[in-house]
Amino acid sequence: MSDFSPERAFVALGYLFRSGEIIPHILTSCRRVFVGLGLAIAIGVPLGILVGLSRPLESASSALFQFLRMISPLSWMPLAVMVLGIGDLPVYFLLTVAAVWPLVLNTAAGVTSVDRAWLTLARSLCATRGETIFRVILPAIVSHLLTGIRLAIGIIWIVLVPAEMLGVSAGLGYYILDTRDRLAYSELMAVILIIGAIGYLLDSGLRLAHRTWTHQD
């Protein structure tokens, strides 16, 4: 299928799914996305809460966070490979670096927007810091968290393909390189369509979750 045409691309798309050849690569890429997102949430949400609760910390860290946020995650690729080697670890690192900033910033913005009367009430009821965070702050910022996760997923999905060109042997990014090397351009276009479709489904799921939480029609 070295000759390219739109018709051949859809034929190749059907072949990839009928043969099951593309399924392991889709599953591998999705696993990497969710691991990277999970690591970003584990780092970004607590950090965002700390920044949102502490005005001095917010002032001290704002310039640093904006500086780091503006560095393309892909510029870390050589260092990631040098320190972590090849395989999944540098991919996880790049995806986490890409996703952590929208989570930090949206979480901090959510905490800042929480009605201070709620925090005062929690203190008057002798709530501990942990109880205040888990019972007052987190429920109040779910909408901000979902927005941050949606932005993070979008960035991760964009970074994923070049990140999977770091010496891995499976994944959609790897498969694009493979089709290029085989001059199988119809299959390459089919994989691009698959990447777009999966990204659209992920974003649609998060938009639905956000609308459901905020009770929007």
Side-chain angles (χ1 to χ4, degrees), residues 138-144 146 208-216:
L138 283 178
I141 66 171
V142 169
S143 179
H144 285 80
L146 290 174
L208 177 61
H210 187 274
R211 286 199 304 268
T212 301
W213 180 264
T214 56
H215 305 291
Q216 294 178 354

Side-chain angles (χ1 to χ4, degrees), residues 9-209:
F10 285 103
V11 170
L13 183 63
Y15 164 76
L16 290 177
F17 279 103
R18 285 196 308 273
S19 66
E21 183 177 341
I22 197 63
I23 301 301
H25 297 283
I26 292 175
L27 295 178
T28 298
S29 289
C30 289
R31 171 174 55 80
R32 289 175 180 143
V33 165
F34 289 117
V35 170
L37 180 63
L39 292 172
I41 290 173
I43 296 169
V45 172
L47 185 56
I49 291 174
L50 286 176
V51 171
L53 287 176
S54 173
R55 188 59 61 85
L57 180 59
E58 180 184 9
S59 300
S61 62
S62 177
L64 176 62
F65 286 171
Q66 292 299 331
F67 173 79
L68 292 174
R69 185 174 71 89
M70 296 309 294
I71 298 175
S72 168
L74 297 179
S75 10
W76 297 101
M77 287 175 69
L79 289 175
V81 173
M82 183 175 66
V83 174
L84 301 173
I86 60 175
D88 283 343
L89 287 181
V91 177
Y92 292 150
F93 171 78
L94 292 174
L95 298 183
T96 302
V97 168
V100 73
W101 302 115
L103 288 163
V104 170
L105 297 177
N106 276 276
T107 301
V111 173
T112 302
S113 68
V114 172
D115 191 337
R116 296 298 159 178
W118 294 2
L119 303 181
T120 301
L121 178 60
R123 284 195 297 269
S124 69
L125 295 174
C126 300
T128 64
R129 177 58 64 91
E131 289 173 334
T132 301
I133 290 174
F134 285 102
R135 298 187 180 184
V136 177
I137 294 176
L138 283 178
I141 66 171
V142 169
S143 179
H144 285 80
L145 288 177
L146 290 174
T147 299
I149 291 172
R150 182 185 174 192
L151 293 173
I153 280 282
I155 296 173
I156 281 180
W157 199 245
I158 292 172
V159 172
L160 175 69
V161 172
E164 287 187 327
M165 298 176 181
L166 291 175
V168 298
S169 58
L172 294 171
Y174 162 81
Y175 201 80
I176 282 182
L177 280 183
D178 180 63
T179 55
R180 183 203 64 183
D181 294 340
R182 292 188 286 110
L183 302 181
Y185 296 119
S186 295
E187 290 184 36
L188 190 154
M189 189 61 204
V191 176
I192 291 174
L193 293 175
I194 291 170
I195 290 172
I198 295 174
Y200 175 80
L201 290 174
L202 289 172
D203 184 71
S204 297
L206 287 168
R207 278 192 289 127
L208 177 61

